[in-house]
Amino acid sequence: MPADHGDEAELFARVDALLADLSAKRIPLPPPLERARLRTAAGLSTAQLADVLGCLTEDIEAWETGAREPLAARRAAYARLLQGLKTLQQPEHQGPPPRQGPTHTPALKAGKKAEQPSLFPATTPVTSTPRNQAAPVHTVQPTGPLAVIDHASTLTAHFTNGSQLPLEADDLASLLQWTLRSGLRRDKLSPQGLDSDCDPLIVLTPAASAALNLPAALDDRARLRLPDSHPVITHLQQAGFSLTRRGFGPWPRVFRPITNNKRASVQLAITAWGALTQDGWNLPPLSPTDLARILGLYSDRLLTPRGSTAVCGEELMTALRPPTRAHRDPDNGRWTSAPNPRGLHTALEPAPPEAPDAHPLARGRLPEQAMDEEAWDWTRPPNDQETTEFPHVVGLDTNLAFAAAASGLPVGLNAPPRHILAPTFNKKIPGAWFCDLSHATLDPRLPSPFTATGQAPTGPAWYTTPTLGYAQELKIEVRPIEAYLRDDHGPYLTSWYERIRDAYLATMAELGVHQKIPQADYLAAMKKLATADPALRGLLAAIKATAKGGLGKLREGPRDITAPYTRWSALNKPTWRPDIRAAVVSRARVTLHRKMRKMGEETGRYPLAVLSDCALYPAHKPTALNVVPPGPDQQGVSGFIRLGVNPGLAKEEGVQTMAWYQHQHTQGLNPARYIKNATA
């Protein structure tokens, strides 16, 4: 319907907006590829430009590929920005080359900005010309997502590239103020990620903590936090900073209220309180420079540390598959936040059999009604032939077995499970299935793929989809009695696994262990790990702990709850998903069973014990090369257990005698638990 001609002001406003759009379209812009070149040459990320221009990272990416063009005032601002970048990159505007290290680096007063071009307050290298000095002096520019703060005669920031910057911070508040102005940050792992993905990390050494008036240890060992009445916290509050509900512990997050849609938040790590030596972090003693380097590698390969390695594993899932995404309203063209269908955005109740024993849904539940999809703890006595022919046992441990099992695994997303009676099994639908597999005929030389004990099932039980899918593969009749099915599903953990895999392989390569090498060369390279760079070995351990802990967080248990069947805080998180963890464990278990079964059928060699992802085999010689077939290229046989660095392949866990194995077994122990360290 035509607009009311009497509303003259509104009509004129629309006309003015149209003219402004037409005028903006005439503002020239460099070609798309040149836009990207100018940005990258200046060391700027798409997220930084988006923040300056008040748009989304996706918009910058679209402008740099030519998929879309900026409109109206934003086009003018973008053109001005690109022209500024071009001017700064011309020879007469370039400063002197940077010096190495902290030599002749003037100290910056924390809380005060050094002089820098106003167009790029947090990203342009700082140069200044003192009155009594003709040549300009280069000032170290904070770089990377984090800084390690140490103290000798003064506080000094150590950055991930090896550079250092003395600071004149008087207290923690002024250090935080410097951090927020420093430009320390990293890009989001997903364009739709949360702002907290980019928060800088400040790591305080014990010397720095003491200089900032923090106690050497936490008196509150139960809650692991500084008392709210502590003078440091009082001073932070007076300076306008707030803490999250978890308070000021080993990994506190400090923030200021959001203003002008800009976040002001800093993650701290207090090493004196165990921030990097507990909870999955077992880094060796490192200098501030080496600590910044290793944490920088962890940040580049996974994410900036946020807490325990388990917390980091969980946060990595959320950072790669955020709970929300940007959505453009088709009616008004405005961007709003909407649930991300590929992420986990809704806290769901588990199906009754999936609930842990402490969960309210487990009240009154019979033991046989609880799902028990767990890793193996199984052992058997060697037979007479094995005892006579094989003087040794060798442990074969699968690399990142459970993380690898998560790759491509379809899991339920954001809809509650659908209960159905007498369903037809469908291996493509994730869920919990109540089914009787006790009629299956199984090889006693292998653990049962259907139970955590490795013993054959004795009646109906609840299974995940991967377990019943493998039963079908074994030609076992599968007729579920009932099921809880998740029709809304997808490969939620695939990108998480791929990032962990790449981080793991890159670190192993730095340690001298490479992909696609003969199995004998792999074993030789692994034996040299013990004498490799301790810092890199600490990084490797942290990466593996991140994978393991992240999956554990999917079924996080209660803390400090004494009353049974009482809800705990983790249940309110969309990432609290015991069904996903159960499916991952199930898939890892049946994958190892498939390899052991095929290898046994081909070689006649069967495992003696399995603990989680480690299998013990009888051997003629004390080496894994005597157990696994070499294959035509000396890299093993596809479908069997193979030696190699890739996730899903195996390493030699340990070697012992058959007599040792028999003694362990007769003591009621699982020898696979002790094969690596027989004196434990």
Side-chain angles (χ1 to χ4, degrees):
M1 184 174 181
D4 185 352
H5 290 283
D7 193 357
E8 186 176 280
E10 181 181 349
L11 286 174
F12 281 11
R14 293 181 180 178
V15 169
D16 290 344
L18 177 61
L19 292 174
D21 261 357
L22 292 173
S23 176
K25 288 179 180 177
R26 298 183 179 181
I27 298 175
L29 289 173
L33 290 179
E34 176 66 5
R35 303 170 197 174
R37 189 198 69 77
L38 289 170
R39 175 182 58 76
T40 55
L44 297 171
S45 67
T46 55
Q48 286 173 298
L49 260 64
D51 183 59
V52 169
L53 296 173
C55 61
L56 295 173
T57 303
E58 291 173 325
D59 293 327
I60 302 296
E61 294 170 351
W63 301 342
E64 291 184 353
T65 59
R68 290 199 309 271
E69 290 291 300
L71 301 175
R74 191 164 282 120
R75 182 183 180 94
Y78 187 45
R80 180 182 177 86
L81 177 62
L82 294 174
Q83 182 57 43
L85 293 177
K86 184 176 181 180
T87 300
L88 285 175
Q89 291 170 25
Q90 292 173 355
E92 60 269 24
H93 288 275
Q94 292 179 353
R99 299 184 182 182
Q100 298 297 319
T103 308
H104 302 300
T105 302
L108 295 182
K109 178 71 173 181
K112 296 183 180 179
K113 280 189 176 180
E115 280 188 37
Q116 22 185 346
S118 59
L119 185 59
F120 309 109
T123 57
T124 304
V126 182
T127 59
S128 61
T129 306
R131 292 181 180 178
N132 299 324
Q133 186 174 334
V137 176
H138 178 74
T139 301
V140 170
Q141 174 65 30
T143 181
L146 61 91
V148 175
I149 309 298
D150 192 30
H151 183 270
S153 58
T154 185
L155 286 179
T156 302
H158 298 255
F159 304 113
T160 57
N161 65 354
S163 63
Q164 302 171 21
L165 181 64
L167 306 173
E168 293 181 3
D170 300 318
D171 48 46
L172 185 57
S174 59
L175 175 62
L176 293 171
Q177 290 165 353
W178 169 81
T179 303
L180 292 173
R181 295 187 174 112
S182 67
L184 289 174
R185 59 166 287 123
R186 69 166 176 80
D187 291 344
K188 299 176 184 179
L189 295 181
S190 166
Q192 300 153 351
L194 303 176
D195 290 336
S196 59
D197 294 350
C198 304
D199 287 348
L201 169 66
I202 294 297
V203 180
L204 300 181
T205 67
S209 295
L212 295 170
N213 299 313
L214 291 171
L218 289 173
D219 294 331
D220 186 347
R221 302 307 301 169
R223 296 193 304 163
L224 287 178
R225 57 190 290 175
L226 207 60
D228 294 340
S229 59
H230 193 278
V232 168
I233 295 182
T234 301
H235 187 245
L236 287 177
Q237 293 170 340
Q238 291 172 345
F241 289 100
S242 300
L243 296 169
T244 60
R245 286 182 295 176
R246 65 185 179 187
F248 201 100
W251 291 91
R253 185 179 292 275
V254 185
F255 64 94
R256 278 178 166 167
I258 294 177
T259 56
N260 298 324
N261 293 322
K262 290 189 176 181
R263 181 183 176 89
S265 180
V266 178
Q267 177 72 62
L268 292 168
I270 317 298
T271 61
W273 302 346
L276 292 169
T277 53
Q278 299 174 3
D279 298 325
W281 292 102
N282 293 295
L283 296 182
L286 298 172
S287 68
T289 298
D290 284 341
L291 181 57
R293 173 176 67 92
I294 290 302
L295 292 179
L297 289 174
Y298 183 92
S299 300
D300 289 343
R301 294 171 185 177
L302 290 181
L303 78 168
T304 306
R306 312 277 293 275
S308 70
T309 52
V311 166
C312 291
E314 181 185 37
E315 293 285 349
L316 181 61
M317 296 177 190
T318 303
L320 293 168
R321 293 287 181 89
T324 59
R325 64 173 181 172
H327 171 72
R328 190 190 292 272
D329 190 318
D331 295 329
N332 56 30
R334 294 179 180 174
W335 288 96
T336 59
S337 179
N340 179 9
R342 300 178 65 212
L344 299 181
H345 56 72
T346 302
L348 298 176
E349 288 290 282
E354 297 165 345
D357 289 342
H359 196 281
L361 288 176
R363 184 191 296 270
R365 184 181 64 189
L366 297 175
E368 60 269 22
Q369 287 293 321
M371 177 182 283
D372 188 29
E373 290 280 24
E374 295 294 338
W376 272 317
D377 186 348
W378 170 84
T379 180
R380 68 174 175 87
N383 58 38
D384 292 341
Q385 181 185 6
E386 291 167 334
T387 302
T388 303
E389 294 186 8
F390 299 99
H392 305 283
V393 289
V394 176
L396 302 176
D397 184 72
T398 305
N399 302 319
L400 293 176
F402 298 101
S407 179
L409 177 67
V411 298
L413 294 177
N414 298 293
R418 171 174 57 93
H419 186 225
I420 183 172
L421 297 176
T424 300
F425 177 68
N426 186 336
K427 65 180 181 180
K428 296 182 179 180
I429 300 179
W433 310 78
F434 193 56
C435 188
D436 191 350
L437 298 177
S438 61
H439 60 280
T441 301
L442 302 171
D443 191 327
R445 294 170 295 180
L446 289 169
S448 167
F450 309 130
T451 66
T453 63
Q455 304 304 313
T458 58
W462 286 97
Y463 301 103
T464 63
T465 299
T467 299
L468 287 194
Y470 186 57
Q472 274 194 338
E473 182 181 324
L474 296 176
K475 309 301 182 183
I476 298 171
E477 183 184 32
V478 174
R479 298 181 63 183
I481 301 167
E482 62 176 311
Y484 290 89
L485 305 182
R486 290 179 165 84
D487 303 304
D488 172 27
H489 56 80
Y492 172 72
L493 290 172
T494 297
S495 57
W496 177 83
Y497 159 72
E498 289 172 347
R499 190 160 178 87
I500 287 175
R501 174 202 62 196
D502 294 347
Y504 169 78
L505 291 176
T507 307
M508 289 296 282
E510 285 186 278
L511 287 165
V513 186
H514 301 279
Q515 302 179 69
K516 297 182 179 179
I517 58 176
Q519 295 184 122
D521 293 347
Y522 169 69
L523 286 185
M526 289 294 290
K527 289 179 180 178
K528 296 179 181 178
L529 274 184
T531 58
D533 180 359
L536 283 176
R537 285 190 285 120
L539 172 62
L540 178 68
I543 291 170
K544 293 195 288 186
T546 301
K548 181 179 179 180
L551 293 173
K553 277 284 189 178
L554 294 170
R555 197 178 187 262
E556 182 179 357
R559 298 181 182 180
D560 303 324
I561 293 180
T562 55
Y565 311 118
T566 302
R567 293 187 66 85
W568 58 97
S569 59
L571 304 187
N572 300 320
K573 297 188 299 184
T575 51
W576 190 82
R577 293 292 300 274
D579 58 296
I580 295 180
R581 178 189 172 276
V584 170
V585 172
S586 163
R587 195 186 200 198
R589 194 179 64 239
V590 301
T591 297
L592 181 55
H593 190 279
R594 182 184 295 111
K595 292 178 180 179
M596 294 190 300
R597 175 175 57 84
K598 290 183 177 180
M599 197 161 81
E601 292 169 352
E602 182 68 24
T603 68
R605 201 89 60 95
Y606 287 87
L608 296 170
V610 183
L611 182 72
S612 187
D613 51 4
C614 178
L616 265 58
Y617 274 85
H620 294 106
K621 298 179 181 179
T623 173
L625 296 174
N626 184 253
V627 177
V628 297
D633 55 1
Q634 303 300 311
Q635 295 184 31
V637 177
S638 179
F640 291 10
I641 296 176
R642 292 191 291 159
L643 301 177
V645 68
N646 288 64
L649 301 187
K651 64 179 181 292
E652 185 181 277
E653 184 71 357
V655 178
Q656 298 295 334
T657 65
M658 180 63 76
W660 171 88
Y661 178 90
Q662 289 177 300
H663 177 72
Q664 294 280 313
H665 181 73
T666 57
Q667 297 297 311
L669 303 174
N670 187 333
R673 189 182 304 278
Y674 307 104
I675 188 75
K676 187 173 184 178
N677 183 5
T679 61

